[in-house]
C-alpha cells in the first residue's frame, strides 16, 4: 500500500499547490487536505476534510484515514483571504492549532513522518546578530511578538513531540521570506505598497525563496529519504544570494521614504491602511537589521538545490505583481501619507527615487 499524506492549510494557495503536487508521487496512495474553510481552488484527486486543527476532532481524521505522513502548512503570518480574522485568530491557528495537531499525532500509531513549515524569523533580527545564521546558531534576541514568536512557540512544541515520539521522523523547514504567485506574507504585503517606508540609516540584507522551491523541498521532506541519509532535522531554506533592501526597491520600481525609527513605529495604522496588515515590531527589526541564513545543511541532507536565487525570486514577484511606479498624483498622495508623520521625516521632495 502507498502512503497516506495529510496536509493542513489547504485553503491557502500554497497549500493547494502542494496538495496537487504530492498526489503525483508514485509512492503516495491518498492525500487528505484539511482546513477550517473549503478552498476556492481545486485539490485534484485529494479528499478535502473540513476540520479546525484547533479542535480535538483532528485526531479522528488521523485515525479514520490511517495517516502515516503529516505535512503541517497551516502556520502563517497573515489572516486567510477568505474568512478573515485578525492577529488573534492567526495566533490561535498557529499555536493552539499546532498543539492540537501534535497531540493528535502523538496518539496516532500510524503516523511515522511529520513535516513542519516554519520560518527563519525564529532567529530574530538584532544589531549584534552574526552575519549568517546556521541551524545551530544560538539566538541572542528571541522574537517578542507576531508571527516570529508564534513560530518559536510551535518549534518548541515540535521538539517536545519529537522526544515523546522518537519513532516519528520530524522535519522542520525554516523558510526565508516566501515570494511568488502564491505568496501570502507580511513582506509580500510590504513590497506591494506604493511607497516603501525604510529605516533611516539602514539598508538590511534580505533573502527570499520562491514558492516553486517551497513546494519542491516540502515534497522532498515528505518523501522517502535518500539512501544513506535521514530527512529528519531542522533545515534553513532560502534562495542563493542576498539583496539589500535598496536593491529590492529598485527592482520593484518603488520609491522609498527613509524615516526615523520612531516614525516607523508610530505609523503602523497608516501602513495597515495601505495594505501592510502585520507590520509588527519583528518586521520593523527585519527592515532595520536584516537576516541571512546558511543553507548547506538542506543541500547535503535533503539534496535540495533551489532553482531560483534570491534575486530571481524577487524578479518573478515583480513580474507577477507588476513593476513600476504609481501615476504621479497617486504617488504624491502616498508619499504625503508617510512623509507627513513627523517634522523630522523627509518630505516628498526628499523621497529617494530608486527606479
Amino acid at each position: 500500500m502507498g502512503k497516506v499524506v495529510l496536509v493542513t492549510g489547504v485553503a491557502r494557495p500554497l497549500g493547494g499547490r502542494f496538495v496537487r503536487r504530492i498526489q503525483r508521487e508514485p509512492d503516495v496512495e491518498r492525500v487528505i487536505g484539511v482546513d477550517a474553510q473549503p478552498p476556492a481552488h481545486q485539490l485534484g484527486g485529494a479528499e478535502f476534510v473540513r476540520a479546525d486543527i484547533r479542535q480535538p476532532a483532528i485526531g479522528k481524521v488521523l485515525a479514520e484515514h490511517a495517516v502515516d505522513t503529516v505535512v503541517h502548512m497551516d502556520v502563517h503570518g497573515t489572516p486567510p483571504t477568505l474568512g478573515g480574522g485578525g492577529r488573534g485568530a492567526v495566533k490561535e491557528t498557529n499555536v493552539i492549532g499546532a498543539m492540537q495537531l501534535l497531540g493528535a499525532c502523538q496518539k496516532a500509531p500510524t503516523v511515522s513522518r511529520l513535516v513542519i513549515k516554519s520560518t527563519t524569523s525564529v532567529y530574530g533580527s538584532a544589531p549584534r546578530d552574526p552575519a549568517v545564521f546556521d541551524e545551530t546558531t544560538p539566538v541572542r534576541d528571541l522574537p517578542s511578538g507576531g508571527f516570529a514568536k508564534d513560530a518559536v512557540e510551535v518549534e518548541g512544541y515540535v521538539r517536545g513531540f519529537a522526544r515523546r515520539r522518537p519513532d516519528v521522523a520530524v522535519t522542520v523547514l525554516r523558510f526565508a521570506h516566501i515570494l511568488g504567485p502564491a505568496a501570502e506574507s507580511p513582506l509580500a504585503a510590504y513590497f506591494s505598497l506604493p511607497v516603501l517606508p525604510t529605516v533611516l540609516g539602514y539598508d538590511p540584507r534580505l533573502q527570499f525563496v520562491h514558492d516553486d522551491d517551497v513546494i519542491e523541498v516540502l515534497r522532498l521532506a515528505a518523501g522517502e529519504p535518500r539512501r544513506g541519509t535521514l530527512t529528519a532535522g531542522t533545515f534553513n531554506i532560502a534562495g542563493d544570494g542576498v539583496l539589500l533592501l535598496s536593491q529590492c526597491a529598485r527592482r520593484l520600481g518603488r520609491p522609498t521614504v527613509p524615516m526615523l525609527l520612531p516614525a516607523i513605529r508610530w505609523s503602523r495604522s497608516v501602513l495597515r491602511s495601505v495594505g501592510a496588515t502585520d507590520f509588527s515590531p519583528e518586521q520593523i527589526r527585519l527592515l532595520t537589521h536584516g537576516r541571512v541564513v546558511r543553507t548547506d545543511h538542506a543541500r547535503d541532507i535533503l539534496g535540495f538545490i533551489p532553482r531560483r536565487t534570491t534575486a530571481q525570486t524577487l524578479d518573478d514577484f515583480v513580474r507577477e505583481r507588476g513593476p513600476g511606479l504609481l501615476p504621479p498624483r497617486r504617488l504624491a498622495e502616498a508619499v504625503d501619507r508617510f512623509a507627513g508623520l513627523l517634522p523630522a521625516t523627509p518630505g516628498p521632495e526628499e523621497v529617494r527615487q530608486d527606479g
Side-chain angles (χ1 to χ4, degrees):
M1 292 180 60
K3 295 166 61 174
V4 179
V5 181
L6 182 141
V7 183
T8 65
V10 299
R12 302 252 186 174
L14 195 64
R17 285 192 59 193
F18 176 69
V19 165
R20 294 190 294 272
R21 175 63 185 88
I22 197 67
Q23 291 172 64
R24 304 204 301 267
E25 291 299 289
D27 60 339
V28 172
E29 179 180 355
R30 297 170 60 207
V31 178
I32 313 298
V34 173
D35 208 300
Q37 56 189 12
H41 43 257
Q42 297 296 318
L43 298 180
E47 178 180 347
F48 174 69
V49 176
R50 187 168 187 173
D52 190 336
I53 62 171
R54 296 172 293 182
Q55 304 299 325
I58 188 63
K60 296 181 181 179
V61 178
L62 293 173
E64 289 176 3
H65 297 279
V67 172
D68 53 67
T69 301
V70 175
V71 181
H72 182 38
M73 298 183 64
D74 208 357
V75 182
H76 299 279
T78 57
T81 303
L82 299 174
R87 168 64 195 149
V90 172
K91 182 176 179 63
E92 280 191 13
T93 300
N94 288 345
V95 179
I96 305 302
M99 290 176 62
Q100 286 286 2
L101 178 65
L102 292 171
C105 289
Q106 183 177 336
K107 298 174 183 177
T110 58
V111 172
S112 61
R113 182 171 296 279
L114 173 65
V115 180
I116 302 291
K117 172 182 171 285
S118 188
T119 170
T120 58
S121 296
V122 297
Y123 298 115
S125 296
R128 298 182 62 189
D129 280 347
V132 182
F133 286 97
D134 65 26
E135 291 84 352
T136 62
T137 304
V139 178
R140 298 184 180 184
D141 187 10
L142 283 172
S144 59
F147 174 48
K149 184 179 180 182
D150 293 353
V152 169
E153 293 183 32
V154 169
E155 286 199 14
Y157 296 132
V158 170
R159 287 191 293 271
F161 169 83
R163 289 192 295 269
R164 293 188 295 270
R165 284 290 304 270
D167 58 311
V168 177
V170 179
T171 303
V172 176
L173 301 175
R174 291 174 176 167
F175 291 102
H177 297 278
I178 301 171
L179 294 179
E184 293 180 319
S185 69
L187 195 66
Y190 168 77
F191 282 154
S192 299
L193 292 173
V195 178
L196 302 182
T198 62
V199 181
L200 186 66
Y202 292 88
D203 197 6
R205 299 176 303 152
L206 302 173
Q207 282 177 310
F208 313 122
V209 58
H210 197 282
D211 51 15
D212 288 348
D213 285 322
V214 172
I215 299 301
E216 176 61 15
V217 73
L218 285 166
R219 181 192 69 82
L220 290 172
E224 292 302 315
R226 297 186 301 163
R227 182 174 298 178
T229 67
L230 295 174
T231 55
T234 300
F235 303 90
N236 293 331
I237 308 296
D240 293 340
V242 300
L243 285 174
L244 298 174
L245 180 56
S246 60
Q247 294 174 315
C248 295
R250 286 194 294 272
R251 288 172 180 265
L252 288 162
R254 300 285 197 271
T256 60
V257 178
M259 302 173 70
L260 296 176
L261 189 56
I264 291 280
R265 291 170 178 155
W266 295 337
S267 64
R268 289 179 202 166
S269 61
V270 177
L271 293 167
R272 284 195 295 268
S273 73
V274 292
T277 57
D278 187 25
F279 209 80
S280 67
E282 294 305 319
Q283 178 101 334
I284 295 172
R285 291 189 186 100
L286 175 72
L287 298 178
T288 305
H289 306 296
R291 184 189 311 113
V292 176
V293 299
R294 182 172 289 111
T295 59
D296 298 348
H297 193 45
R299 293 173 182 266
D300 296 341
I301 304 302
L302 296 179
F304 171 68
I305 300 175
R307 295 178 182 176
R308 290 178 177 84
T309 65
T310 285
Q312 290 169 339
T313 297
L314 183 63
D315 290 345
D316 277 3
F317 179 80
V318 171
R319 283 191 290 270
E320 178 68 23
R321 301 294 175 97
L325 304 178
L326 294 172
R329 180 178 176 182
R330 289 187 59 200
L331 175 59
E333 292 173 352
V335 170
D336 285 343
R337 297 177 75 180
F338 290 108
L341 292 172
L342 282 180
T345 304
E349 70 280 1
E350 296 174 276
V351 174
R352 185 172 71 247
Q353 183 69 45
D354 284 332

